[in-house]
Amino acid sequence: MVKRCCFSNGAAKATKVCPEADDQLCCSEGHAIHQSRSDRPCCTRFDCSLCGDPCDNERWCCDEDCNYDVCRLCFAGHYATLLDKIKTEEPVRRLRQLVIVSDVRHAVLEFESIAADILSNTASEAENLEDVLRVLKTSVDLGFPIPGPCSAKLTCFVRDSLAADDLTACVGLLKTAVEFQVSASREDLGCDLSVSQLRVLANSSLELGAPDWNQTAQLALPHAGNRELVASADSGLNSAMEKLRELRDLRIDLATTTFEQGWSAAIQRAAETPDQALDLLVLVPDRFRKDAFVAASNAALHLAISLIPVEHSERFEGLKNLTGTTAKLCVPLPEECSVLLGECVRDSIIQDDLATCEAAVALSAGCGVSVVAASVKDLSFDQLQVLQEISEKVGCSSWKEAAKNGLMETGREKLLGATEEGCSRFMEVLDELAAASVDTSDSVFEPAWRAIVAVSVGEPASSLDLLCAVPTGLRESFPEEFQEATETALSCLEHTSDMLEASGRLRLVKLPQTVVTRLREDICASAAATDIESLQTLLSAVAAFDVQLETAELEAAMGHHLQTCSLFLRVAIDAGCQETTWMKDITIICSQLAVDEIKLATSLDVASLFEAVQAVQSVGLVLNSLPGSDELAPMIVSLLALHAAADARAGAGEIRSAEARGGDAEAGVGDAGATAGEAEATAGDSEVNACHAETNCVNSANAKFAGEPLSENVRDTLVHAALECEPDPEKILASVAEDLQQSAYTLLSPYISRWTFAPNGDAALPDARWQHFCAEASREIAAAFHKFKTFHDHRRVCIGVDSAGNPKSWTRGTTYSLDFNVMTCFLTEPGRRGRVVPLRVQSQDGVEPPPDKPHPYYLKQVQDKDAKDGDWMSNVFFFEAFTHALEAAGISVDKPAHEIFDFRWNEDFRELQDTGKKMYRGGEEYRLPFGWKRFAVDVKGEYDDGDNKWLGSGDGSWAIAYHGTSEEGLAGILATGFRVGPRQKFAGECGSGVYCTPFVEVAADYAPRNNIRGHIIQIVLQLRIKPSAIKRVTTGTDFENKYWVINDPADMRAYGALIRQKD
């Protein structure tokens, strides 16, 4: 038989109905069916008591497990039908049935959403508090959120209780809200509650622990306050003030935008009643102080000003209160208030009420009142001084300026009045003004100064102090009157020094002519008398006032004496007269006198010359700046050479005198002979006379240079003087007489520079192989070097050409381009390519650059080959790695790097690429060590008697190979050279020897890795191999067939160390 579900249209199976059978599904015994079971005894079948269908694995039954089972489909269908039915039931029954269904909510689809709708609708239909409470309780029982309508309904009940002043009901409702955690609805609270009612709600909710209700009440307070403020403003200004006080007492923020309407109404009411408005206006927040506020404030202030008392003390108090109110209003103080405040200050000064005056000035400073000029118009000079002192004390700049202006105006009147009483009275008034800090240099005092200067002409004896007080800026307004007055006053002084002192006090830019005349006369007299103290004073005045002296007068006064002229020149320089025309003329005269004195001394003797040179140097003259100084150098050297020659001839003269005396005796014997004897005697007399003549000449020279031998100090001083006149000793020698050349050369030889160069361009060439430049080239190189060191001119210099750029004859077509920064010369000889050669100079100061230190050109070559910024594989790093390798083998390195390696010949192959181009050395292919960097060993000149052909690339060059070894092997090779080792795999084919290879990667296979400063590196030696000594391996593997065997270690030479980074 086919059974149907009890909810189908077919006949339903009869069941026992419980009291709530229409609401809850019960068993035949009336027990509620709400329990789901899935247990089934073996071979037991359960059929649905409603539809008769098997319950499968799930059945619903009561707690007593009566013989009454319901299938899942019938159970869910029952309660789904019940949910649809609940929606139409009356509220109380609806809620009860909803609770019933909630027990089996897991079996009902969409129960949560349907139940929420039912609760919300029920709450909306609630007409009283009891209905709302039922919804609240049901929501809590079901674990559902409180429906929104409950919050709105409860808020309305609270609002109504507050409106009815039923505090008990309100508290009860709030307790309910707290119990069910119902939030307040701000919208439903309405806008009809007063501030006091909302305050009751806020306080009650806070006490009952309902913060949400307290917050809602607090948010509603400003709106209520704004409504009440508008209403109170309509009632009058006093009512508005009372409301504002009330709101402030409640600590309601009146500055929020919520009160905009209320403040607008209050400001409007204040504008209508300005006599009572100030107290309210000061309360207006800044954000509401707009045009209407400013207008109302101004109206109220003007009215308040008109009501200020006239009586002095009461007026100040009224102004004080008014300015305080104005400050609170933040509006500018009305002009009338500034006028009244100024009158208050003035009246206080006049009435000697300094306390009120100080308070009024301080009030002005605090309010930033601009002082009306009329406020100080009627004050006396003394009263203005008092006002100025008070203003400075208080720190009021406006009143201080007003007092200052008043003092200047009254001071001008006082000065003008004093001019009629004479210079003495004027000076007294001037002191009074100075004591009052009145600036009498202002242009307003110009009429008074002009008048008193005119008066001073008639009082020259007492006018000097007054004229000194005349401000410099005002003198330009009446220059003629002032000049006349100063000349008149200065003419009354007796001494020139007094005139100069007075001129300084007068701050004169230019001295009057009478003073200038007196000054010139005194300078000439002091120069003639060599009165240094007077000259210092007078020439300082000359420099200060830019007085032009007459050269002819000075020359005549000094009498063409070098000492007098040089003394005057030194004093004038100390006084600051260097740039004047007359000083230049005196310098020329002094220089010419110095030249003449030196020239005269050269015609006398060395002692006179020494004194003349010392005299010239003592006055500060530089010899090479003297006119014709180039002529002095050969004259000085010639005199020294002549002195040296005279010393050399002195001994020879004595010998010849003895011979002459022997001739006299022989002549006496001849007298006894015949005519022939007389003739012989006559001839003898002639010879004797000749001897006497020569002896007299020598004696004359000896007499001229007689005395002590020439001291080193005298000789060196005079030689340095000659070189100061002409720095080039070669030029001096060329101007000395031929017979004195040798002696002159002996004197100048320590100062003649000898320039040499390395012909092969190698700065490390041994000293013996450096060559000398010709004399002409050496001379021009020395002159250029002197310019380089003197003027620090670092540009390249060309020598051997004239001013037109044509080569000089001595060059023979060779060009010379000098670079003293690295001490090199670029030589270009006819028919040959130009080459760079290092330079050296030997002079009295020694050899430069020193031979025991690296040449600058050598250092530049090393720098050019060194690693650039950011490259760690530098010379320093390599030498550290090299030192580390040797020290690891027990060998210490005690030499600097440049004595072991020649970094000039380094080559960096790390970034190069193989282009396929083949190169050969010694007839063998040279395979470049790509990826490596070579550091060159210093081997030039070490082999074959200095012949370095083996290092070249042409005929006579040796082949290139590589040798990899350990740290110990590297140390041994560099210390003692290559040695034949015990391992000789290919001795049968090639004989015993040292193994190497033309392939760098093969050699690298035998080079261990070393960690230096965090870099893993390998080191391989680069060799030169004598081509005839190469034995190739052919019987090994492909790798071994790249070996060369060298039987004699002398046929292989290490000339470079290769290094690379190995990851």
mmCIF file of all heavy atoms in Angstrom, residues 907-915 928-932:
data_model
loop_
_atom_site.group_PDB
_atom_site.id
_atom_site.type_symbol
_atom_site.label_atom_id
_atom_site.label_comp_id
_atom_site.label_asym_id
_atom_site.label_seq_id
_atom_site.Cartn_x
_atom_site.Cartn_y
_atom_site.Cartn_z
ATOM 1 N N GLU A 907 99.317 45.645 -17.419
ATOM 2 C CA GLU A 907 98.306 45.543 -18.474
ATOM 3 C C GLU A 907 97.099 44.826 -17.914
ATOM 4 O O GLU A 907 97.229 43.828 -17.202
ATOM 5 C CB GLU A 907 98.835 44.787 -19.700
ATOM 6 C CG GLU A 907 99.874 45.529 -20.512
ATOM 7 C CD GLU A 907 99.327 46.785 -21.180
ATOM 8 O OE1 GLU A 907 98.087 46.865 -21.346
ATOM 9 O OE2 GLU A 907 100.108 47.676 -21.539
ATOM 10 N N ASP A 908 95.905 45.354 -18.249
ATOM 11 C CA ASP A 908 94.649 44.782 -17.757
ATOM 12 C C ASP A 908 93.945 44.096 -18.918
ATOM 13 O O ASP A 908 93.485 44.742 -19.863
ATOM 14 C CB ASP A 908 93.769 45.886 -17.174
ATOM 15 C CG ASP A 908 92.628 45.321 -16.343
ATOM 16 O OD1 ASP A 908 92.367 44.111 -16.451
ATOM 17 O OD2 ASP A 908 92.007 46.090 -15.586
ATOM 18 N N PHE A 909 93.897 42.754 -18.877
ATOM 19 C CA PHE A 909 93.271 41.963 -19.940
ATOM 20 C C PHE A 909 91.889 41.478 -19.539
ATOM 21 O O PHE A 909 91.301 40.665 -20.238
ATOM 22 C CB PHE A 909 94.146 40.744 -20.274
ATOM 23 C CG PHE A 909 95.547 41.090 -20.702
ATOM 24 C CD1 PHE A 909 96.600 41.049 -19.793
ATOM 25 C CD2 PHE A 909 95.824 41.461 -22.004
ATOM 26 C CE1 PHE A 909 97.885 41.364 -20.177
ATOM 27 C CE2 PHE A 909 97.120 41.778 -22.405
ATOM 28 C CZ PHE A 909 98.157 41.741 -21.494
ATOM 29 N N ARG A 910 91.354 41.955 -18.409
ATOM 30 C CA ARG A 910 90.098 41.404 -17.888
ATOM 31 C C ARG A 910 88.903 41.720 -18.765
ATOM 32 O O ARG A 910 87.991 40.914 -18.897
ATOM 33 C CB ARG A 910 89.861 41.927 -16.471
ATOM 34 C CG ARG A 910 90.810 41.353 -15.436
ATOM 35 C CD ARG A 910 90.578 41.964 -14.085
ATOM 36 N NE ARG A 910 90.864 43.393 -14.075
ATOM 37 C CZ ARG A 910 90.591 44.199 -13.064
ATOM 38 N NH1 ARG A 910 90.029 43.704 -11.976
ATOM 39 N NH2 ARG A 910 90.894 45.484 -13.129
ATOM 40 N N GLU A 911 88.882 42.892 -19.363
ATOM 41 C CA GLU A 911 87.722 43.282 -20.159
ATOM 42 C C GLU A 911 87.943 43.104 -21.661
ATOM 43 O O GLU A 911 87.064 43.418 -22.455
ATOM 44 C CB GLU A 911 87.365 44.744 -19.860
ATOM 45 C CG GLU A 911 87.062 45.043 -18.400
ATOM 46 C CD GLU A 911 85.854 44.270 -17.919
ATOM 47 O OE1 GLU A 911 84.963 43.997 -18.752
ATOM 48 O OE2 GLU A 911 85.806 43.928 -16.727
ATOM 49 N N LEU A 912 89.142 42.670 -22.050
ATOM 50 C CA LEU A 912 89.440 42.508 -23.476
ATOM 51 C C LEU A 912 88.779 41.243 -24.020
ATOM 52 O O LEU A 912 88.599 40.249 -23.291
ATOM 53 C CB LEU A 912 90.952 42.442 -23.691
ATOM 54 C CG LEU A 912 91.752 43.710 -23.329
ATOM 55 C CD1 LEU A 912 93.220 43.498 -23.643
ATOM 56 C CD2 LEU A 912 91.220 44.926 -24.086
ATOM 57 N N GLN A 913 88.453 41.270 -25.303
ATOM 58 C CA GLN A 913 87.856 40.124 -25.980
ATOM 59 C C GLN A 913 88.796 39.655 -27.086
ATOM 60 O O GLN A 913 89.497 40.461 -27.721
ATOM 61 C CB GLN A 913 86.486 40.490 -26.570
ATOM 62 C CG GLN A 913 85.478 40.984 -25.545
ATOM 63 C CD GLN A 913 85.090 39.906 -24.565
ATOM 64 O OE1 GLN A 913 85.047 38.720 -24.918
ATOM 65 N NE2 GLN A 913 84.798 40.305 -23.326
ATOM 66 N N ASP A 914 88.788 38.363 -27.337
ATOM 67 C CA ASP A 914 89.635 37.792 -28.384
ATOM 68 C C ASP A 914 89.048 38.119 -29.746
ATOM 69 O O ASP A 914 87.951 37.684 -30.088
ATOM 70 C CB ASP A 914 89.732 36.278 -28.188
ATOM 71 C CG ASP A 914 90.786 35.652 -29.093
ATOM 72 O OD1 ASP A 914 91.381 36.392 -29.904
ATOM 73 O OD2 ASP A 914 91.007 34.429 -28.988
ATOM 74 N N THR A 915 89.773 38.924 -30.519
ATOM 75 C CA THR A 915 89.299 39.325 -31.860
ATOM 76 C C THR A 915 89.813 38.406 -32.952
ATOM 77 O O THR A 915 89.489 38.603 -34.128
ATOM 78 C CB THR A 915 89.751 40.762 -32.161
ATOM 79 O OG1 THR A 915 91.180 40.823 -32.147
ATOM 80 C CG2 THR A 915 89.197 41.732 -31.111
ATOM 81 N N LEU A 928 97.202 36.052 -25.617
ATOM 82 C CA LEU A 928 96.969 37.020 -24.534
ATOM 83 C C LEU A 928 96.223 36.370 -23.373
ATOM 84 O O LEU A 928 95.314 35.548 -23.596
ATOM 85 C CB LEU A 928 96.163 38.211 -25.044
ATOM 86 C CG LEU A 928 96.870 39.100 -26.077
ATOM 87 C CD1 LEU A 928 95.907 40.167 -26.592
ATOM 88 C CD2 LEU A 928 98.089 39.756 -25.477
ATOM 89 N N PRO A 929 96.542 36.744 -22.152
ATOM 90 C CA PRO A 929 95.863 36.160 -20.966
ATOM 91 C C PRO A 929 94.543 36.878 -20.680
ATOM 92 O O PRO A 929 94.429 37.629 -19.700
ATOM 93 C CB PRO A 929 96.893 36.390 -19.855
ATOM 94 C CG PRO A 929 97.622 37.636 -20.260
ATOM 95 C CD PRO A 929 97.677 37.607 -21.758
ATOM 96 N N PHE A 930 93.548 36.631 -21.504
ATOM 97 C CA PHE A 930 92.252 37.283 -21.313
ATOM 98 C C PHE A 930 91.664 36.896 -19.957
ATOM 99 O O PHE A 930 91.697 35.744 -19.556
ATOM 100 C CB PHE A 930 91.284 36.895 -22.433
ATOM 101 C CG PHE A 930 91.724 37.355 -23.802
ATOM 102 C CD1 PHE A 930 92.121 36.453 -24.766
ATOM 103 C CD2 PHE A 930 91.743 38.716 -24.102
ATOM 104 C CE1 PHE A 930 92.518 36.870 -26.012
ATOM 105 C CE2 PHE A 930 92.150 39.145 -25.355
ATOM 106 C CZ PHE A 930 92.553 38.224 -26.314
ATOM 107 N N GLY A 931 91.088 37.915 -19.261
ATOM 108 C CA GLY A 931 90.499 37.673 -17.950
ATOM 109 C C GLY A 931 91.469 37.886 -16.799
ATOM 110 O O GLY A 931 91.071 37.769 -15.635
ATOM 111 N N TRP A 932 92.737 38.180 -17.100
ATOM 112 C CA TRP A 932 93.753 38.366 -16.075
ATOM 113 C C TRP A 932 94.260 39.805 -16.115
ATOM 114 O O TRP A 932 94.089 40.519 -17.099
ATOM 115 C CB TRP A 932 94.947 37.425 -16.302
ATOM 116 C CG TRP A 932 94.585 35.973 -16.204
ATOM 117 C CD1 TRP A 932 93.885 35.234 -17.094
ATOM 118 C CD2 TRP A 932 94.925 35.085 -15.138
ATOM 119 N NE1 TRP A 932 93.756 33.940 -16.673
ATOM 120 C CE2 TRP A 932 94.394 33.812 -15.466
ATOM 121 C CE3 TRP A 932 95.627 35.235 -13.947
ATOM 122 C CZ2 TRP A 932 94.558 32.705 -14.638
ATOM 123 C CZ3 TRP A 932 95.799 34.125 -13.131
ATOM 124 C CH2 TRP A 932 95.264 32.874 -13.472
#
